[in-house]
């Protein structure tokens, strides 16, 4: 019996060591295969990935949704770059940016990081801000705190401070816990192994969805998959979910952006998994966002679900172009 326990423990330790080596080798391979397309800017011991394209003013600055890297914008930045400068960035812990476990991943922290990033990189205002989902929360907060730097705002199916019910908050906390489990498993290569076998549910669903998009967007899947194999991706995503309540509560004081040119882009195609009541409530909250400015307009992306950047990217590009013409 004692020999059996020793043998079992030895096999377990050996398996863990093999998994850790597999993970380390895989990460090194990913770094060589998927180099950052932009620059890594040190904002004080943490490097954030910033990628700027095109020329012109104002500079369009884009922030992706919750747990999403900048590549989630798909082809939108490249199209905007045809008529002005556009900068996308990865929040700390996502994409090619370094993690920052010392700071909780709240919207206020994202605003502080972004302001420092733009300053350090020499990206001077004026800015036209574009934010999707949770990125919309970040950009709305940024516009309220640096109004002299911002000349326009595009909210793409943005989160709203009153969107969460008690049941939804419990779901968010459960997801945060699951992400912490995935963080632990990713250290020993389990997430990588399961992902390569196409058995990781999140990646499996995403792979099926992304097949309907242009080839240039489909090719981004492998890059995103490499991000998901990193332990700090899940740690950061967990922190964003765990602090979502604080992020949304931080918007309660942002009741007006004055006459700032504002475009609110909302999904128009209901996800069949979502009830009609919930969908109509979301639509009402999207309409409420137009009250933030006396100079606002709402556009419904009739053929899009929540992922407007991939479903109807031309709507975002057109909204940015119209705001630039206006300002």
């Amino acid at each position: 019996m004692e020999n059996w326990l020793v043998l079992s423990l030895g096999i377990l330790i050996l398996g863990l060591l093999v998994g850790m080596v597999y993970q380390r080798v895989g990460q090194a391979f990913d770094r060589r295969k998927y180099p950052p397309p932009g620059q890594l800017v040190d904002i004080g011991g943490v490097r954030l990935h910033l990628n700027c394209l095109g020329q012109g003013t104002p500079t369009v600055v884009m922030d992706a949704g919750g747990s999403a890297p900048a590549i989630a914008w798909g082809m939108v930045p490249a199209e905007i770059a045809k008529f002005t400068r556009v900068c996308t960035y990865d929040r700390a812990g996502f994409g090619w940016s370094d993690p920052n476990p010392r700071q909780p991943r709240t919207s206020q922290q994202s605003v502080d990081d972004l302001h420092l990033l733009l300053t350090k990189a020499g990206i001077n205002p004026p800015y036209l801000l574009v934010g999707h989902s949770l990125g919309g929360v970040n950009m709305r907060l940024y516009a309220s705190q640096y109004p002299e730097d911002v000349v326009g705002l595009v909210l793409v199916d943005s989160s709203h401070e009153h969107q969460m019910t008690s049941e939804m908050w419990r779901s968010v906390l459960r997801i945060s816990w699951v992400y912490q489990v995935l963080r632990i498993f990713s250290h020993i290569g389990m997430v990588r192994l399961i992902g390569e076998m196409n058995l990781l549910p999140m990646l499996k669903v995403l792979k099926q969805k992304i097949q309907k998009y242009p080839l240039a967007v489909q090719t981004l899947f492998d890059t995103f998959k490499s991000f998901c194999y990193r332990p700090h991706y899940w740690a950061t995503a967990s922190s964003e979910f765990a602090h979502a309540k604080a992020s949304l509560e931080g918007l309660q004081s942002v009741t007006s952006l004055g006459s700032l040119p504002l475009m609110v882009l909302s999904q128009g195609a209901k996800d069949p998994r979502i009830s009609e009541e919930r969908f109509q409530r979301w639509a009402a909250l999207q309409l409420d966002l137009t009250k933030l400015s006396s100079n606002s307009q709402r556009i419904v992306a009739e053929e899009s679900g929540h992922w407007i950047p991939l479903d109807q990217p031309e709507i975002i590009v057109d909204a940015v172009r119209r705001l630039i013409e206006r300002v």
Side-chain angles (χ1 to χ4, degrees):
M1 182 68 174
E2 183 177 339
N3 291 337
W4 181 85
L5 287 175
V6 171
L7 178 61
S8 298
L9 181 60
I11 292 173
L12 176 61
I13 293 173
L14 179 62
L16 291 175
L17 290 174
V18 170
M20 292 171 68
V21 171
Y22 171 61
Q23 174 65 17
R24 292 289 184 87
V25 172
Q27 284 187 176
F29 177 79
D30 289 342
R31 282 194 293 269
R32 289 195 301 269
K33 188 175 182 181
Y34 307 109
Q39 59 178 315
L40 295 175
V41 181
D42 193 325
I43 62 168
V46 176
R47 299 174 306 161
L48 298 187
H49 174 244
L50 177 71
N51 190 26
C52 295
L53 305 170
Q55 298 292 328
T57 189
T59 298
V60 177
V61 182
M62 308 183 74
D63 196 358
S67 305
I71 59 173
W73 286 108
M75 303 308 296
V76 174
E79 291 300 312
I80 293 175
K82 293 178 180 179
F83 55 86
T84 193
R85 180 166 65 167
V86 56
C87 296
T88 59
Y89 87 108
D90 291 310
R91 295 190 298 277
F94 296 132
W96 286 280
S97 290
D98 293 341
N100 187 4
R102 295 168 298 174
Q103 299 291 344
R105 301 322 305 168
T106 63
S107 285
Q108 183 59 60
Q109 186 60 48
S110 294
V111 168
D112 294 342
D113 287 353
L114 177 57
H115 183 67
L116 193 55
L117 172 65
L118 294 173
T119 302
K120 292 275 188 179
I123 309 298
N124 298 320
Y127 308 129
L128 193 157
L129 306 180
V130 183
H132 174 233
S133 194
L134 180 64
V137 174
N138 302 342
M139 290 311 206
R140 177 177 159 190
L141 201 59
Y142 193 105
S144 71
Q145 294 178 4
Y146 301 99
E148 68 281 359
D149 293 345
V150 180
V151 294
L153 175 63
V154 180
L155 298 178
V156 184
D157 219 38
S158 173
S159 299
H160 189 287
E161 59 268 36
H162 299 313
Q163 73 185 59
M164 303 296 281
T165 62
S166 298
E167 181 181 350
M168 291 171 70
W169 280 126
R170 287 193 292 269
S171 177
V172 165
L173 292 177
R174 284 195 297 269
I175 292 172
S176 178
W177 180 83
V178 170
Y179 283 1
Q180 285 291 358
V181 173
L182 289 171
R183 176 185 65 83
I184 296 171
F185 285 166
S186 61
H187 277 290
I188 56 174
M190 287 296 294
V191 173
R192 180 180 296 273
L193 179 62
I194 295 171
E196 289 302 299
M197 295 171 65
N198 198 32
L199 297 176
L200 192 63
M202 176 180 128
L203 292 179
K204 192 173 182 179
V205 171
L206 181 59
K207 188 173 184 179
Q208 292 172 345
K209 279 186 174 183
I210 208 167
Q211 290 175 354
K212 71 177 182 177
Y213 298 124
L215 184 60
V217 174
Q218 293 184 40
T219 57
L220 299 174
F221 175 77
D222 287 338
T223 306
F224 177 69
K225 188 168 65 170
S226 74
F227 297 153
C228 293
Y229 293 159
R230 302 172 184 174
H232 67 248
Y233 169 82
W234 298 107
T236 305
S238 176
S239 183
E240 273 200 345
F241 269 85
H243 294 93
K245 190 170 186 178
S247 293
L248 294 181
E249 287 176 347
L251 287 180
Q252 293 180 2
S253 61
V254 187
T255 57
S256 174
L257 297 174
S259 60
L260 179 72
L262 168 66
M263 298 283 278
V264 177
L265 311 183
S266 310
Q267 61 174 296
K270 185 179 79 68
D271 188 317
R273 297 170 297 179
I274 296 175
S275 68
E276 182 63 29
E277 179 184 1
R278 184 174 168 185
F279 180 73
Q280 292 301 328
R281 183 169 180 268
W282 180 265
L285 292 174
Q286 290 293 297
L287 183 61
D288 185 66
L289 289 174
T290 63
K291 299 177 183 177
L292 288 169
S293 172
S294 60
N295 187 11
S296 66
Q297 181 181 357
R298 182 182 177 223
I299 297 175
V300 177
E302 298 291 353
E303 299 175 12
S304 295
H306 183 57
W307 284 98
I308 299 175
L310 301 183
D311 291 331
Q312 288 184 272
E314 68 280 359
I315 287 184
I316 302 174
V317 176
D318 184 61
V320 170
R321 181 186 288 109
R322 290 164 64 179
L323 277 192
I324 288 177
E325 290 172 353
R326 189 184 303 178
V327 303

